[in-house]
Structure formats: structure tokens, C-alpha cells
Amino acid sequence: MNDRDEKGTRVYFDHNATTGARREVVEAMLPYFSRRFGNASSLHLFGQEARNAVERARSQVASLIGAEPGEIIFTSGGTESDNLAIRGVVAAKRTPARRPHVITSSIEHPAVIRTCRALEKEGVDVTFLPVNSLGAVSAEEVEAAVRPETLLISVMLANNETGVIQPSAAIAGVARRGGIAFHVDAVQGAGKIPVDAGAVGADLMSISAHKFYGPKGIGALYIRRGTGIEAVLTGGHQESGLRAGTENVPAIAGFGEACRISADRLGAEMAHIARLRDRIERGILAAIPDVGINGAGAERVPNTCNVTVRRVEGEALTLYLSVLGFALSSGSACATGETDPSHVLIAMGLDPVDAQGSIRISLGAENTDEEVDAFLDALPRVAARLREMSPIRGKC
Ligand SMILES: Cc1ncc(COP(=O)(O)O)c(C=O)c1O
């Protein structure tokens, strides 16, 4: 949206990495940088203005996900929300008597996987569940992994690389029956599909503003009333004592506005985005031989398309397309700079060479049919050119 005037030269198809803040979001933030700069903890007028903005935003965030305002804790984003949920629940529930156990999946974002790996070094057993070839976790496998010592299950709502939606409600049932806390990383769900914390059945849910046209560096953790959790940061008493540190009032105000707009426009935007994504997938399958759409048979968020173009390197495709003005990613943005094939595609059973030949196209509300036309014109030519030069042969 912010690059509309440069359309044609800059096409942004990387909305799962981040999005630009909507105009209304920026406007909602501006007063809190200057005129209304108060600290939300101060008792005076300036503080009250800031506090009002924080509480209004808390209601807007809560309303987007069907929660109560008192169940929302502001954090610095998805990564911190995931850390607070996982570390905070383990800290609150572990006892010296037995070694705690956590269940998660092998396709989680590094904010979950690496947090669980760190906990393993602190005496926590972690089960990383596999996924099927469509990239979905099975609730039955979650159930089979439960032990008497299991105190947390953390499985994402929608995968950032494939868009595949996980069976959260069924997993929530397993968690409830076992008296186990259930955390859902909904960073790639919120703002893309309707998300209702109650329907998902989550005790804890992470969301992040910059994935749906809010500012970067602000997110929230939904904590269902009554869920046992301890703070991870030590410091002041902000956010009900669960997240120390002066609130980022401008970002919180922008986050609230992004949630309000998302709730208003989600239906229409989803339909537009889904139509464009389907056009892209049909176009790719028709124009390029030897390609596959990863997770295509599964329920997915409507904006994400993960394609394997065999005998081509995903990074080469991404760079070549970038020169032509198309921004998308190979693997997840967070893995940029790493040369390993995507852990998500490997978990789905892709051959490592094929996994490396994959790109992610993630669409947003401002994308147009003209941009899709231009992309469908460019991609087959780029793929053919790279295949001519490719050292990866003999797999066709
Ligand atoms: C599924 C998922 N979880 C967590 C994060 C981290 O969120 P943030 O960038 O707000 O820290 C991301 C970001 O890509 C994500 O896709």
C-alpha cells in the first residue's frame, strides 16, 4: 500500500515477513510520540492520556480475537509472546519432584523451537512432533505424546512458510482432557483469518502487529483467565506484573488501530487475496513444468503460496525476481542468511534439494491483478533461464 505510487517497479509479495503500516495506523500512533508522550504508569494528566490509549488498544486487540481486555498482555512482538508463554508456563508449573515435559511440533517458528531447545538445557524434556506430507500436525499424535509430566503443548495456528492451518481445536481437546496448558502461536493467523481464542481453545495465544499492517516491535500474549504463568522479565509492575518495562504507547495505539481495521475488513480482504493466490497457483502450474505447491491439499490461510520449482535454487529465484522488482522469499524470512533447507519443508518429507528450490509468495490486501499478471509473466521466464544454468540436473 505504501508503495502504490511505485507500482510496476516494486511488487511486494512477502507479507508473511512483514507488512507496511496502514495510513490510519500511523495516524493513530503519531500523537503518542510527541504531544501525548506521557508514561502510562504516571498518575497525572499526561499519564492518563497514555493509559487511556493503552486500554483502548487492549480492548481493540481483545475484540479481534474474542478475548476479554484483561486477558491481553502487550509484548514486543511474536517472539517475546512465544517466550513468555512457554518459559512463563514452565516456570509456573514445574516442580522439583519431576522432570517437566513439553510437546511442540517440528514446523514451529524458531521463536518456539529455539525456546524449547533452550529449555531442554534447563532440564525440560521436549517432544518435537512430526507432520504429515501436507504439513499438518495430528491431534492423535499429540495425544499419544502426552505423559503424566506434560505441562504444556505449543502448536502454531498457521505455518509461516506454507500457510497450513493446524488442528488447534482438536489439540485443545487433548490439552483440556490432560489438564495441560495449550499455547498457540497465532502470529500468522491473526489478521489473515478470523481468530477466536475461545474457538481455538487456547490458554495462551501469541499475536504480532506487523504481520497485519500494524507497527513492528509490538505484539500481545492472550492469557486465558486462570492460566498459571510467571513473568520472564524482572522489573516494574506493568502489564499486570507479567511484562516489565514502560509501555510502548505509540506502537500499542497503532496495534489497536490495526486490529480494529482488520476486524472491519477481514472478510473482503480475505476474498480478494484468496482469489489472487488461486490465480497465481493456477498460473504457475499451467506455465512451469515440474513444480509443486507445498501444502496445497491442506486447509491454508488464503494469502500464502509455497512453491517448489525443481532444478532451481530458491535463493537464485528470489534474487533474480528481486532484480525484476518482485519481493518474495525463499524459506522463511527469519532463515535468510542461513543456507540450510527449510525445516518446515524437510519435516513435510521434501527432498533437501527440492526444499532448497522453494519460494514463498505471501500476498496482502494491496496486491492487484496487474501485479499477479506481471508476476505470472516473469516467473516462467526466470525459472526457465535459471534451469538452463542450473547445476541441479537429472531430477526431472
Ligand atoms: C509463526 C511466527 N511466530 C513468531 C514470529 C515472530 O514474530 P515477531 O517478528 O513479531 O517477533 C513470526 C515471524 O515471522 C512467525 O511467523
Side-chain angles (χ1 to χ4, degrees):
M1 76 203 48
N2 36 358
D3 288 333
R4 279 214 105 121
D5 41 349
E6 296 171 63
K7 210 168 62 185
T9 54
R10 284 155 63 96
V11 173
Y12 190 73
F13 281 169
D14 203 13
H15 293 79
N16 286 10
T18 195
T19 59
R22 297 189 203 256
R23 180 183 47 77
E24 300 93 322
V25 166
V26 175
E27 278 166 15
M29 295 173 70
L30 285 177
Y32 299 97
F33 285 110
S34 51
R35 197 157 42 85
R36 300 185 182 164
F37 59 84
N39 182 323
S41 299
S42 301
L43 287 179
H44 48 63
L45 277 177
F46 292 77
Q48 284 166 22
E49 274 176 354
R51 171 57 51 201
N52 289 342
V54 169
E55 297 315 319
R56 185 169 56 248
R58 199 185 306 282
S59 297
Q60 290 167 319
V61 173
S63 159
L64 180 71
I65 58 167
E68 295 295 323
E71 295 174 315
I72 301 297
I73 297 296
F74 287 114
T75 66
S76 65
T79 300
E80 188 186 329
S81 294
D82 288 345
N83 270 268
L84 174 57
I86 297 168
R87 294 177 188 275
V89 166
V90 169
K93 293 181 77 166
R94 77 186 296 174
T95 56
R98 55 184 179 183
R99 202 175 160 89
H101 176 234
V102 171
I103 299 172
T104 188
S105 84
S106 48
I107 57 160
E108 299 297 310
H109 187 272
V112 169
I113 293 198
R114 291 193 181 151
T115 302
C116 289
R117 289 265 178 239
L119 284 177
E120 283 181 316
K121 296 196 185 114
E122 297 167 26
V124 177
D125 279 343
V126 182
T127 301
F128 293 90
L129 291 172
V131 291
N132 65 17
S133 61
L134 296 178
V137 174
S138 132
E140 289 72 37
E141 290 196 37
V142 174
E143 184 141 42
V146 169
R147 307 179 193 162
E149 324 66 80
T150 308
L151 45 80
L152 175 70
I153 299 172
S154 179
V155 176
M156 68 201 324
L157 184 63
N159 183 263
N160 43 305
E161 296 188 34
T162 61
V164 171
I165 297 175
Q166 305 301 318
S168 301
I171 297 171
V174 174
R176 209 173 311 115
R177 288 193 290 281
I180 301 162
F182 180 35
H183 167 241
V184 175
D185 175 340
V187 168
Q188 295 289 352
K192 293 194 172 77
I193 51 170
V195 173
D196 181 281
V200 167
D203 296 306
L204 307 113
M205 196 159 80
S206 306
I207 65 173
S208 178
H210 76 102
K211 304 294 187 182
F212 57 102
Y213 314 107
K216 293 171 183 54
I218 188 75
L221 181 65
Y222 157 82
I223 307 173
R224 194 176 55 75
R225 205 173 293 285
T227 305
I229 185 164
E230 269 181 24
V232 166
L233 294 181
T234 42
H237 292 293
Q238 291 91 349
E239 296 301 289
S240 310
L242 280 173
R243 205 286 184 164
T246 301
E247 290 92 341
N248 184 349
V249 182
I252 289 173
F255 185 14
E257 181 67 0
C259 290
R260 185 191 68 74
I261 298 174
S262 178
D264 251 25
R265 303 187 194 161
L266 190 58
E269 290 185 348
M270 270 177 71
H272 167 71
I273 290 169
R275 193 178 57 75
L276 295 184
R277 199 261 311 260
D278 291 348
R279 276 199 60 206
I280 287 185
E281 294 191 349
R282 277 197 307 273
I284 289 176
L285 291 171
I288 311 176
D290 213 11
V291 290
I293 311 282
N294 297 308
E299 197 192 345
R300 289 179 293 161
V301 291
N303 81 317
T304 308
C305 166
N306 190 303
V307 195
T308 295
V309 183
R310 291 185 195 88
R311 290 177 289 121
V312 170
E313 292 234 324
E315 264 177 34
L317 264 179
T318 305
L319 289 173
Y320 201 146
L321 286 163
S322 170
V323 171
L324 299 180
F326 298 95
L328 44 81
S329 77
S330 58
S332 78
C334 311
T336 301
E338 295 176 12
T339 48
D340 289 347
S342 147
H343 70 286
V344 175
L345 300 180
I346 295 294
M348 289 165 69
L350 260 76
D351 172 290
V353 177
D354 286 350
Q356 247 157 349
S358 302
I359 53 171
R360 179 187 69 185
I361 300 146
S362 51
L363 302 172
E366 79 281 14
N367 289 134
T368 63
D369 277 293
E370 292 71 41
E371 291 174 337
V372 169
D373 291 339
F375 181 65
L376 289 176
D377 181 53
L379 182 63
R381 287 188 284 116
V382 172
R385 178 84 190 93
L386 288 174
R387 276 176 173 169
E388 277 167 27
M389 309 185 318
S390 171
I392 314 165
R393 297 195 190 278
K395 289 199 88 251
C396 44

